[in-house]
Amino acid sequence: MAYDVNAAPDLAALETSLDDAGLKNPSVREYVRYWAGITGAERVEVIGASDNARLISESLEAGEILPAGQGRYYARSYVKDTARSEERTIVATANPGDKGVYNNWRPASEMRPLLEKLMSGASAGKTMYVIPYLMAPPGSPLEPYAVGVELTDHRTVALHMIRMARCGVEHVNNLAEPSRFVRGVHVTGDLANLGQGTPADKRYFVTFADERTILHFGSSYGGNALLGKIAHGLRQAAYDGWASGEFLAEQFMLIGITDKQSGRTWHICGGFPSASGKTNLAMMLAPDSLGDRYHVEFYGDDIAWLRVDPKDGKIYAINPEFGVFGVAKDTNEETNPTALRSVGPDTGVLFTNVAYNELTQDVWWEGRTPEPPADLTGWRDWTGQLISERSAEEQDKPWAHPNSRFTTSLTNVPNIAPDFEVRTGVPIDAIIFGGRTRDREPLVRAITDLAEGVYDGLTLGAEATFAAEGVDGQLRYDPMSMRPFMSYPEGAYAAHWLKIIGAASDQPIFAHVNWFQRDPDDGHFLWPGYRENLRPLLWLLRLRDREVQGVQTPVGIVPTKDELDLDGVDIRPEDLDKILSIDTDRWTAEMAHREAHLAQFDGLPEEIWAAHRRVAAALAATTG
Ligand code: OXD
Ligand code: MN
């Protein structure tokens, strides 16, 4: 193999640095030694949350980040390295039976040497940061699956990790099984020479799921480089949850809703394909007219792990993350005031690829305010170009990258749930799915049958946004919003869902929600959205508690007009009728697409096909 373990520059210095950091776990030390040898990093530094201030100073000094007001920071990524790359993301195992439709499976025996070769000597001259982390509230029953160590040769990535995960040697020093941790190696590579998006693309983002090893080469963008989040928190954890038979790991938000009158709190988790408002929903506040009675609490906006506690038969969810890696675009006082508070002074927030004013240290992104700042002095776009020097043709280009981000810790979120770190997680009352769809999908339809709920998740999708993504009017299916993160075959995934949720004696209610129906003539949104989205959720919880009945339709139960609390909502009566009704013709057309979509998946459980046939038959019965 093209590496020499002894090439690590100074093995004695490496041992001293591990000793000084108090890193005692012998398996972690062995792992660090091995990869220091392969990557040829000049030095090794073990870091944790307590190193944040020092790393910030060093990064500012080196010009890797810039100050963005008091206790806020800003970084640009390389121009061709601004998003997750799904086509370069692979799940590799020893078992060809692990191949699914979406997981881009490859044999581990092929990928491992390839990655080791790419990483060989690729961190020469750099520091390799060793970041032990925990993707769970401390003491969680799922902790054995949550321990990891990321090695990264990029200091800004280390700063992101400190915000997004619980980091420090304490998470690996006293493991019952010292070798049981996820091994994640991130090597940035020579970004200017990786052929991103060309046939000669050299980037590889590989999860070796059966080895619990993640090797990512060729990016320093968060979604590819923060290995605790997506690669471990979703792909690896989904595989672990399936292999152990113990839990589900899903790209889900998680919230609590408290009725201040009764003191009761409900918890809802759910999946939404990207650009369907998941972060806004997770950070939602109660509308003014309901604020005296209800309080919405934030647990997480992107990942939930779900297990059943045999003691009480309830499903419990944790957010394994410690931060929010949110999309900046369109975040403003109306869409998400909570997010704005979470990135205020002294939050330590790290902005990526937004527009930056080098004189005032202000940041801006499209949708932050209706118009960009009028005075262009000092403003640079996300690529670093002065806005004032843009040519006539460049005038319309966005100032911020559409995928520009803010990275902030959960503790900065003003409505963070007081028990967000509770060991057990929180009991789940409802599981919801929702995509951005301009017609057909009503405001909310509730599903009380497990197989129909799972079927609904598997047929989740959002409308194609542009030609490349699909056919107009047809959904781009994104099962459970996990399409980019699926790590094992979809048929087995559906069976695992039925098994895990089926084991709960206290079943959650399922629902499909849609805030995005539009008037076909003038395009206006039929439902005001944002904070008002609490209303259909309250209806759903009342349905679960049998306080309302709703109306049974072929595709679920929808609220009657009277059951929805609409006090203070500005909505036209005809729009309300529309979002509470079922368009049978459009639904019937959709069923054919669903059938083709599900037929791709080998071994889909018969319960799911039966659910599909039940819905189809119910629709046929109403059309007569
Ligand atoms: C994503 C993210 O890419 O959460 O889904 O960043
Ligand atoms: Mn996500």
Side-chain angles (χ1 to χ4, degrees):
M1 215 158 285
Y3 61 85
D4 173 4
V5 174
N6 297 317
D10 188 341
L11 284 177
L14 186 151
E15 299 301 330
T16 309
S17 132
L18 302 185
D19 287 342
D20 289 351
L23 181 68
K24 298 202 168 64
N25 181 318
S27 302
V28 175
R29 292 178 72 116
E30 180 59 37
Y31 158 68
V32 173
R33 259 180 234 125
Y34 181 79
W35 284 99
I38 291 186
T39 61
E42 189 174 306
R43 50 191 292 276
V44 160
E45 192 180 316
V46 184
I47 59 155
S50 59
D51 295 296
N52 182 54
R54 177 179 54 81
L55 292 171
I56 288 278
S57 305
E58 291 172 9
S59 304
L60 286 167
E61 180 121 334
E64 294 157 3
I65 63 171
L66 298 168
Q70 193 186 316
R72 310 184 340 148
Y73 308 96
Y74 171 61
R76 293 189 183 99
S77 69
Y78 177 63
V79 284
K80 291 186 193 157
D81 185 31
T82 55
R84 264 190 304 108
S85 169
E86 290 179 19
E87 27 353 305
R88 307 301 302 168
T89 302
I90 288 163
V91 173
T93 65
N95 179 6
D98 287 343
K99 182 175 166 53
V101 173
Y102 296 129
N103 68 354
N104 216 358
W105 182 88
R106 302 275 278 276
S109 56
E110 184 189 307
M111 298 314 292
R112 179 82 189 211
L114 181 67
L115 266 291
E116 291 207 352
K117 187 155 178 259
L118 283 167
M119 289 183 170
S120 186
S123 304
K126 295 188 181 178
T127 298
M128 185 168 94
Y129 296 94
V130 177
I131 316 174
Y133 64 81
L134 182 67
M135 297 301 290
S140 160
L142 295 176
E143 206 178 75
Y145 302 100
V147 181
V149 179
E150 171 161 353
L151 311 179
T152 174
D153 63 4
H154 203 288
R155 185 156 42 195
T156 316
V157 171
L159 287 173
H160 277 99
M161 276 299 286
I162 288 175
R163 282 153 183 72
M164 293 302 298
R166 295 162 176 92
C167 298
V169 289
E170 65 276 21
H171 300 304
V172 292
N173 271 348
N174 299 309
L175 297 182
E177 273 181 69
S179 66
R180 187 162 169 185
F181 61 93
V182 169
R183 290 150 170 81
V185 185
H186 164 247
V187 171
T188 305
D190 179 8
L191 295 174
N193 290 296
L194 295 177
Q196 292 93 337
T198 71
D201 206 321
K202 291 197 180 62
R203 300 170 300 161
Y204 279 93
F205 308 120
V206 186
T207 298
F208 296 85
D210 54 353
E211 296 174 37
R212 307 193 79 226
T213 295
I214 299 161
L215 304 179
H216 280 205
F217 174 80
S219 170
S220 71
Y221 164 74
N224 302 321
L226 304 175
L227 304 185
K229 181 181 176 57
I230 289 170
H232 180 168
L234 288 172
R235 281 186 208 100
Q236 182 65 55
Y239 193 92
D240 287 346
W242 171 56
S244 65
E246 278 190 43
F247 67 106
L248 300 168
E250 306 296 327
Q251 190 189 213
F252 279 6
M253 60 97 212
L254 174 59
I255 59 173
I257 299 174
T258 295
D259 179 344
K260 294 187 238 177
Q261 241 166 49
S262 66
R264 166 129 189 235
T265 299
W266 298 270
H267 299 97
I268 301 181
C269 65
F272 294 73
S274 50
S276 299
K278 179 158 58 78
T279 298
N280 292 345
L281 178 69
M283 292 187 160
M284 164 181 70
L285 301 174
D288 290 339
S289 61
L290 297 182
D292 286 344
R293 172 135 186 214
Y294 297 101
H295 178 60
V296 186
E297 286 152 6
F298 176 84
Y299 287 88
D301 77 322
D302 201 41
I303 305 181
W305 292 2
L306 276 58
R307 70 181 174 94
V308 175
D309 189 331
K311 286 208 275 302
D312 61 5
K314 287 186 202 291
I315 296 163
Y316 282 82
I318 56 166
N319 168 15
E321 303 198 85
F322 190 62
V324 177
F325 180 55
V327 174
K329 187 168 185 293
D330 289 330
T331 302
N332 59 48
E333 289 294 348
E334 192 203 350
T335 60
N336 196 338
T338 311
L340 293 183
R341 303 288 98 73
S342 314
V343 301
D346 292 322
T347 53
V349 60
L350 191 48
F351 294 102
T352 309
N353 291 343
V354 297
Y356 177 73
N357 190 310
E358 61 192 358
L359 301 177
T360 62
Q361 302 181 351
D362 262 344
V363 290
W364 189 83
W365 51 83
E366 273 63 28
R368 172 70 188 85
T369 49
E371 296 298 329
D375 180 359
L376 302 188
T377 320
W379 280 104
R380 290 183 185 269
D381 70 15
W382 70 275
T383 67
Q385 190 192 6
L386 275 172
I387 303 283
S388 56
E389 290 181 359
R390 282 183 161 188
S391 64
E393 301 83 72
E394 289 168 336
Q395 291 304 321
D396 290 339
K397 285 201 315 195
W399 288 24
H401 189 280
N403 191 34
S404 56
R405 299 278 179 148
F406 57 86
T407 308
T408 194
S409 288
L410 294 184
T411 46
N412 291 321
V413 180
N415 62 334
I416 185 76
D419 62 346
F420 81 100
E421 299 209 274
V422 62
R423 216 180 61 72
T424 52
V426 291
I428 291 298
D429 298 284
I431 299 178
I432 63 176
F433 302 112
R436 181 181 281 269
T437 37
R438 63 178 55 230
D439 65 358
R440 188 179 52 79
E441 277 294 359
L443 179 64
V444 55
R445 53 183 175 87
I447 298 165
T448 51
D449 174 77
L450 169 62
E452 283 177 29
V454 175
Y455 163 72
D456 193 70
L458 295 172
T459 52
L460 173 64
E463 64 201 12
T465 45
F466 49 86
E469 278 189 359
V471 184
D472 202 26
Q474 217 169 290
L475 293 189
R476 178 183 191 265
Y477 290 109
D478 187 344
M480 308 270 184
S481 70
M482 282 291 282
R483 178 175 170 143
F485 314 113
M486 283 283 183
S487 49
Y488 61 99
E490 291 75 8
Y493 176 88
H496 186 48
W497 256 86
L498 293 173
K499 176 181 149 187
I500 293 286
I501 307 296
S505 53
D506 189 354
Q507 284 287 299
I509 193 163
F510 285 85
H512 199 109
V513 296
N514 179 27
W515 330 127
F516 300 102
Q517 264 211 65
R518 288 179 187 249
D519 183 289
D521 297 326
D522 65 12
H524 78 266
F525 286 104
L526 303 184
W527 173 252
Y530 305 117
R531 296 162 74 170
E532 309 304 346
N533 296 339
L534 181 60
R535 298 170 191 273
L537 298 183
L538 287 172
W539 171 82
L540 179 68
L541 296 167
R542 292 179 63 212
L543 183 74
R544 181 172 196 250
D545 290 350
R546 297 179 202 281
E547 289 168 18
V548 292
Q549 276 76 50
V551 179
Q552 182 72 55
T553 79
V555 292
I557 304 168
V558 298
T560 66
K561 274 189 272 190
D562 303 336
E563 288 170 350
L564 265 187
D565 181 343
L566 293 173
D567 182 30
V569 184
D570 188 13
I571 182 165
R572 299 183 204 167
E574 62 274 23
D575 289 354
L576 185 61
D577 286 338
K578 185 86 189 282
I579 61 174
L580 296 182
S581 62
I582 302 301
D583 179 342
T584 311
D585 291 344
R586 283 285 289 112
W587 268 99
T588 304
E590 168 62 11
M591 293 308 283
H593 300 315
R594 285 185 169 191
E595 187 145 342
H597 162 65
L598 293 179
Q600 304 172 87
F601 306 140
D602 286 341
L604 199 65
E606 174 50 30
E607 291 99 305
I608 301 297
W609 281 117
H612 175 73
R613 286 193 299 268
R614 267 199 310 279
V615 174
L619 279 164
T622 57
T623 49

